[in-house]
Amino acid sequence: MPPAPPKQTIFTTMSALATELGAINLGQGFPDAEHAPELLAAAQRALAHKSNQYPPMRGLPELRAAICDYYGRRQGLALDPAQVVVTSGATEALAASILAVVQRGDEVIVLQPCYDAYIPLIERAGGMAVAVNLAPPHWTIPFDALAAAITPRTRLIIANTPNNPTGTLLTRADFERLGELCEAHDLTLLCDEVWEGMIFNGSAHASPLHVDSLKGRAIKVGSAGKLFSLTGWKVGWAVAAAPLADAIAGQHQFLTFTTATPLQWAVAEGLTLPDEWHDAHAAIYAPRRAQLIAGLEAAGYVVLPSAGTWFVTIDLAASGLPADDELVAERLIREAGVASIPVSAFYRDNALRGYLRLCFAKQEGVIEEALGRLAGFRTSI
């Protein structure tokens, strides 16, 4: 018999249900308006006037150079295009990176809550995921538990900053400690940094590539879709020391091989926009974030601290609601017409319940309507 199909992701499930019921979708993380006309114009020009044939497998040289220049300006990283592999979205960058490092029987430590693609990708590579749980309200790394989880079979640690779903950040000090563990046990660190351009509390983004002990053993994953609010473009990249980048490219060539040429040209142009443009683009979301948090708190919801992404997390029990996030999410979409994501979906075996993720990358009128429904739901349940 053929194997059972993989379980549908919670994002697909909730978005489909939102469409079916006509609910406001604060679940899946995508904006409800286009905010980067410069990128759309660049894509149109590229489609009409540049090549529409296969680009180089590792990405257009112009895009790889633009990625290096962007990280040099914005994060102070000194990179070479030989370190960059352009992929068809950040999820493909994660897949190619995991396949490049993990062999059958290897163990991979996953800090959860985590993006729900990590564990299936590890398993497709023949590896075994070992979960180390982050705990609310601050979701900091429990380094003693992390060190205890390392065995002779461990090959990789996967981290995420800013974290999806919690919006919390790893610090330079966190990466220094991760570097010590990786050096001591000869491990690779895969860091999902797709939300690096969406930080709202004035903090600086930290990457493992800032840390000397990790420069040769860390992989940084980025996303044009998140930087430019064009999630459907599916242009991502992996950045690593040249030997690691070569191994990632070796896997990428047998996954998607390459990525849409006009979109690569457009992303290259977008990355060269001045820092003021990038700052202003991220700032679009700050008042919407403030609107959602203030409205939730006024309605009696307890919102946990966060610094980045397009999401906020509410503590159900502290908000006077049942601590079963799947149940509350189901009732919320059916009874109040608002889609959310239960944070338990970001834990293997739903190891932590009681928290909901809501997306603020929506128009102000949509957020206002959602807040009214959320307020009514809390008093009715």
mmCIF file of all heavy atoms in Angstrom, residues 24 26 32-33 35 283-292 360-372:
data_model
loop_
_atom_site.group_PDB
_atom_site.id
_atom_site.type_symbol
_atom_site.label_atom_id
_atom_site.label_comp_id
_atom_site.label_asym_id
_atom_site.label_seq_id
_atom_site.Cartn_x
_atom_site.Cartn_y
_atom_site.Cartn_z
ATOM 1 N N ILE A 24 -12.301 36.405 9.341
ATOM 2 C CA ILE A 24 -11.114 37.250 9.241
ATOM 3 C C ILE A 24 -9.900 36.381 9.526
ATOM 4 O O ILE A 24 -9.833 35.716 10.562
ATOM 5 C CB ILE A 24 -11.191 38.423 10.242
ATOM 6 C CG1 ILE A 24 -12.365 39.334 9.894
ATOM 7 C CG2 ILE A 24 -9.880 39.206 10.247
ATOM 8 C CD1 ILE A 24 -12.623 40.413 10.937
ATOM 9 N N LEU A 26 -6.559 36.018 10.775
ATOM 10 C CA LEU A 26 -5.384 36.442 11.542
ATOM 11 C C LEU A 26 -4.501 35.242 11.848
ATOM 12 O O LEU A 26 -3.669 35.278 12.751
ATOM 13 C CB LEU A 26 -5.797 37.122 12.853
ATOM 14 C CG LEU A 26 -6.680 38.362 12.766
ATOM 15 C CD1 LEU A 26 -6.794 39.036 14.131
ATOM 16 C CD2 LEU A 26 -6.187 39.354 11.727
ATOM 17 N N ASP A 32 -2.489 41.611 3.762
ATOM 18 C CA ASP A 32 -3.677 41.655 2.909
ATOM 19 C C ASP A 32 -3.626 42.811 1.917
ATOM 20 O O ASP A 32 -4.628 43.164 1.312
ATOM 21 C CB ASP A 32 -4.951 41.713 3.749
ATOM 22 C CG ASP A 32 -5.014 42.926 4.680
ATOM 23 O OD1 ASP A 32 -4.071 43.742 4.658
ATOM 24 O OD2 ASP A 32 -6.008 43.046 5.422
ATOM 25 N N ALA A 33 -2.453 43.425 1.753
ATOM 26 C CA ALA A 33 -2.260 44.474 0.746
ATOM 27 C C ALA A 33 -0.805 44.445 0.293
ATOM 28 O O ALA A 33 0.079 44.060 1.054
ATOM 29 C CB ALA A 33 -2.610 45.847 1.318
ATOM 30 N N HIS A 35 2.667 46.074 -0.441
ATOM 31 C CA HIS A 35 3.324 47.236 0.159
ATOM 32 C C HIS A 35 4.665 47.569 -0.493
ATOM 33 O O HIS A 35 5.400 48.395 0.022
ATOM 34 C CB HIS A 35 3.565 46.987 1.651
ATOM 35 C CG HIS A 35 2.308 46.871 2.450
ATOM 36 N ND1 HIS A 35 1.324 47.824 2.450
ATOM 37 C CD2 HIS A 35 1.873 45.896 3.291
ATOM 38 C CE1 HIS A 35 0.337 47.454 3.246
ATOM 39 N NE2 HIS A 35 0.645 46.292 3.762
ATOM 40 N N ALA A 283 8.364 49.734 9.144
ATOM 41 C CA ALA A 283 7.587 50.617 10.023
ATOM 42 C C ALA A 283 6.107 50.627 9.676
ATOM 43 O O ALA A 283 5.275 51.019 10.514
ATOM 44 C CB ALA A 283 8.152 52.035 9.963
ATOM 45 N N ILE A 284 5.758 50.193 8.458
ATOM 46 C CA ILE A 284 4.340 50.111 8.087
ATOM 47 C C ILE A 284 3.564 49.281 9.098
ATOM 48 O O ILE A 284 2.404 49.565 9.422
ATOM 49 C CB ILE A 284 4.199 49.490 6.679
ATOM 50 C CG1 ILE A 284 4.721 50.449 5.604
ATOM 51 C CG2 ILE A 284 2.748 49.094 6.387
ATOM 52 C CD1 ILE A 284 4.836 49.807 4.237
ATOM 53 N N TYR A 285 4.220 48.252 9.617
ATOM 54 C CA TYR A 285 3.516 47.296 10.473
ATOM 55 C C TYR A 285 3.482 47.699 11.941
ATOM 56 O O TYR A 285 2.702 47.129 12.713
ATOM 57 C CB TYR A 285 4.159 45.914 10.332
ATOM 58 C CG TYR A 285 4.046 45.370 8.935
ATOM 59 C CD1 TYR A 285 5.133 45.410 8.060
ATOM 60 C CD2 TYR A 285 2.852 44.849 8.479
ATOM 61 C CE1 TYR A 285 5.027 44.930 6.770
ATOM 62 C CE2 TYR A 285 2.730 44.362 7.181
ATOM 63 C CZ TYR A 285 3.831 44.411 6.328
ATOM 64 O OH TYR A 285 3.709 43.940 5.047
ATOM 65 N N ALA A 286 4.307 48.655 12.344
ATOM 66 C CA ALA A 286 4.379 49.018 13.763
ATOM 67 C C ALA A 286 3.039 49.506 14.313
ATOM 68 O O ALA A 286 2.612 49.061 15.390
ATOM 69 C CB ALA A 286 5.477 50.041 13.987
ATOM 70 N N PRO A 287 2.324 50.420 13.628
ATOM 71 C CA PRO A 287 1.035 50.850 14.199
ATOM 72 C C PRO A 287 -0.002 49.741 14.209
ATOM 73 O O PRO A 287 -0.865 49.710 15.094
ATOM 74 C CB PRO A 287 0.614 52.013 13.290
ATOM 75 C CG PRO A 287 1.416 51.851 12.045
ATOM 76 C CD PRO A 287 2.690 51.205 12.442
ATOM 77 N N ARG A 288 0.078 48.809 13.299
ATOM 78 C CA ARG A 288 -0.884 47.697 13.288
ATOM 79 C C ARG A 288 -0.601 46.738 14.434
ATOM 80 O O ARG A 288 -1.524 46.200 15.054
ATOM 81 C CB ARG A 288 -0.817 46.987 11.944
ATOM 82 C CG ARG A 288 -1.145 47.949 10.804
ATOM 83 C CD ARG A 288 -0.739 47.417 9.459
ATOM 84 N NE ARG A 288 -0.751 48.513 8.503
ATOM 85 C CZ ARG A 288 -1.179 48.408 7.246
ATOM 86 N NH1 ARG A 288 -1.615 47.247 6.806
ATOM 87 N NH2 ARG A 288 -1.151 49.446 6.457
ATOM 88 N N ARG A 289 0.690 46.549 14.696
ATOM 89 C CA ARG A 289 1.076 45.740 15.851
ATOM 90 C C ARG A 289 0.565 46.388 17.130
ATOM 91 O O ARG A 289 -0.032 45.724 18.005
ATOM 92 C CB ARG A 289 2.600 45.607 15.881
ATOM 93 C CG ARG A 289 3.174 44.871 17.071
ATOM 94 C CD ARG A 289 4.692 44.777 16.920
ATOM 95 N NE ARG A 289 5.310 44.040 18.021
ATOM 96 C CZ ARG A 289 5.733 44.589 19.146
ATOM 97 N NH1 ARG A 289 5.623 45.899 19.326
ATOM 98 N NH2 ARG A 289 6.275 43.840 20.095
ATOM 99 N N ALA A 290 0.802 47.706 17.267
ATOM 100 C CA ALA A 290 0.352 48.425 18.462
ATOM 101 C C ALA A 290 -1.165 48.384 18.583
ATOM 102 O O ALA A 290 -1.715 48.237 19.690
ATOM 103 C CB ALA A 290 0.852 49.871 18.414
ATOM 104 N N GLN A 291 -1.859 48.511 17.454
ATOM 105 C CA GLN A 291 -3.323 48.471 17.457
ATOM 106 C C GLN A 291 -3.837 47.133 17.958
ATOM 107 O O GLN A 291 -4.748 47.076 18.797
ATOM 108 C CB GLN A 291 -3.839 48.732 16.035
ATOM 109 C CG GLN A 291 -5.359 48.656 15.897
ATOM 110 C CD GLN A 291 -5.800 48.682 14.442
ATOM 111 O OE1 GLN A 291 -4.984 48.590 13.523
ATOM 112 N NE2 GLN A 291 -7.102 48.817 14.217
ATOM 113 N N LEU A 292 -3.254 46.052 17.468
ATOM 114 C CA LEU A 292 -3.720 44.726 17.874
ATOM 115 C C LEU A 292 -3.426 44.480 19.353
ATOM 116 O O LEU A 292 -4.295 44.004 20.096
ATOM 117 C CB LEU A 292 -3.071 43.641 17.012
ATOM 118 C CG LEU A 292 -3.516 42.196 17.318
ATOM 119 C CD1 LEU A 292 -5.027 42.037 17.153
ATOM 120 C CD2 LEU A 292 -2.766 41.203 16.435
ATOM 121 N N PHE A 360 -0.798 40.453 12.744
ATOM 122 C CA PHE A 360 -1.210 41.855 12.625
ATOM 123 C C PHE A 360 -0.871 42.465 11.271
ATOM 124 O O PHE A 360 -1.042 43.677 11.073
ATOM 125 C CB PHE A 360 -0.606 42.709 13.748
ATOM 126 C CG PHE A 360 0.901 42.669 13.848
ATOM 127 C CD1 PHE A 360 1.710 43.384 12.984
ATOM 128 C CD2 PHE A 360 1.507 41.901 14.831
ATOM 129 C CE1 PHE A 360 3.084 43.349 13.092
ATOM 130 C CE2 PHE A 360 2.885 41.859 14.956
ATOM 131 C CZ PHE A 360 3.675 42.590 14.085
ATOM 132 N N ALA A 361 -0.424 41.663 10.297
ATOM 133 C CA ALA A 361 -0.081 42.201 8.974
ATOM 134 C C ALA A 361 -1.341 42.351 8.134
ATOM 135 O O ALA A 361 -1.478 41.785 7.044
ATOM 136 C CB ALA A 361 0.927 41.290 8.288
ATOM 137 N N LYS A 362 -2.289 43.102 8.669
ATOM 138 C CA LYS A 362 -3.580 43.303 8.031
ATOM 139 C C LYS A 362 -3.906 44.791 8.032
ATOM 140 O O LYS A 362 -3.284 45.587 8.748
ATOM 141 C CB LYS A 362 -4.678 42.532 8.781
ATOM 142 C CG LYS A 362 -4.362 41.044 9.005
ATOM 143 C CD LYS A 362 -4.226 40.268 7.709
ATOM 144 C CE LYS A 362 -3.774 38.837 7.963
ATOM 145 N NZ LYS A 362 -3.576 38.071 6.703
ATOM 146 N N GLN A 363 -4.893 45.167 7.248
ATOM 147 C CA GLN A 363 -5.296 46.565 7.214
ATOM 148 C C GLN A 363 -5.951 46.956 8.537
ATOM 149 O O GLN A 363 -6.546 46.134 9.228
ATOM 150 C CB GLN A 363 -6.248 46.803 6.044
ATOM 151 C CG GLN A 363 -5.598 46.555 4.683
ATOM 152 C CD GLN A 363 -6.513 46.847 3.527
ATOM 153 O OE1 GLN A 363 -7.053 47.947 3.409
ATOM 154 N NE2 GLN A 363 -6.710 45.864 2.662
ATOM 155 N N GLU A 364 -5.855 48.239 8.873
ATOM 156 C CA GLU A 364 -6.319 48.700 10.177
ATOM 157 C C GLU A 364 -7.804 48.416 10.386
ATOM 158 O O GLU A 364 -8.221 48.034 11.489
ATOM 159 C CB GLU A 364 -6.016 50.188 10.338
ATOM 160 C CG GLU A 364 -4.523 50.484 10.432
ATOM 161 C CD GLU A 364 -4.207 51.969 10.521
ATOM 162 O OE1 GLU A 364 -5.170 52.764 10.638
ATOM 163 O OE2 GLU A 364 -3.017 52.327 10.483
ATOM 164 N N GLY A 365 -8.611 48.578 9.338
ATOM 165 C CA GLY A 365 -10.036 48.298 9.469
ATOM 166 C C GLY A 365 -10.316 46.834 9.742
ATOM 167 O O GLY A 365 -11.251 46.499 10.487
ATOM 168 N N VAL A 366 -9.507 45.959 9.149
ATOM 169 C CA VAL A 366 -9.654 44.524 9.383
ATOM 170 C C VAL A 366 -9.304 44.191 10.832
ATOM 171 O O VAL A 366 -10.012 43.418 11.500
ATOM 172 C CB VAL A 366 -8.766 43.726 8.401
ATOM 173 C CG1 VAL A 366 -8.775 42.239 8.744
ATOM 174 C CG2 VAL A 366 -9.233 43.945 6.969
ATOM 175 N N ILE A 367 -8.214 44.768 11.325
ATOM 176 C CA ILE A 367 -7.809 44.530 12.715
ATOM 177 C C ILE A 367 -8.890 45.041 13.668
ATOM 178 O O ILE A 367 -9.239 44.375 14.654
ATOM 179 C CB ILE A 367 -6.452 45.189 13.005
ATOM 180 C CG1 ILE A 367 -5.345 44.521 12.180
ATOM 181 C CG2 ILE A 367 -6.122 45.119 14.499
ATOM 182 C CD1 ILE A 367 -4.000 45.203 12.279
ATOM 183 N N GLU A 368 -9.454 46.221 13.373
ATOM 184 C CA GLU A 368 -10.482 46.782 14.242
ATOM 185 C C GLU A 368 -11.706 45.869 14.304
ATOM 186 O O GLU A 368 -12.256 45.618 15.387
ATOM 187 C CB GLU A 368 -10.885 48.175 13.741
ATOM 188 C CG GLU A 368 -11.740 48.964 14.714
ATOM 189 C CD GLU A 368 -11.026 49.255 16.026
ATOM 190 O OE1 GLU A 368 -9.798 49.431 16.023
ATOM 191 O OE2 GLU A 368 -11.724 49.302 17.062
ATOM 192 N N GLU A 369 -12.129 45.357 13.164
ATOM 193 C CA GLU A 369 -13.264 44.435 13.142
ATOM 194 C C GLU A 369 -12.936 43.158 13.899
ATOM 195 O O GLU A 369 -13.769 42.647 14.662
ATOM 196 C CB GLU A 369 -13.645 44.117 11.689
ATOM 197 C CG GLU A 369 -14.726 43.065 11.529
ATOM 198 C CD GLU A 369 -16.075 43.485 12.097
ATOM 199 O OE1 GLU A 369 -16.321 44.699 12.211
ATOM 200 O OE2 GLU A 369 -16.874 42.578 12.421
ATOM 201 N N ALA A 370 -11.733 42.630 13.704
ATOM 202 C CA ALA A 370 -11.330 41.416 14.403
ATOM 203 C C ALA A 370 -11.322 41.641 15.913
ATOM 204 O O ALA A 370 -11.751 40.770 16.688
ATOM 205 C CB ALA A 370 -9.957 40.964 13.931
ATOM 206 N N LEU A 371 -10.848 42.813 16.355
ATOM 207 C CA LEU A 371 -10.805 43.101 17.793
ATOM 208 C C LEU A 371 -12.202 43.126 18.402
ATOM 209 O O LEU A 371 -12.415 42.636 19.520
ATOM 210 C CB LEU A 371 -10.096 44.427 18.040
ATOM 211 C CG LEU A 371 -8.575 44.402 17.883
ATOM 212 C CD1 LEU A 371 -8.006 45.813 17.866
ATOM 213 C CD2 LEU A 371 -7.929 43.585 18.999
ATOM 214 N N GLY A 372 -13.151 43.681 17.671
ATOM 215 C CA GLY A 372 -14.521 43.670 18.167
ATOM 216 C C GLY A 372 -15.036 42.261 18.349
ATOM 217 O O GLY A 372 -15.700 41.934 19.342
#
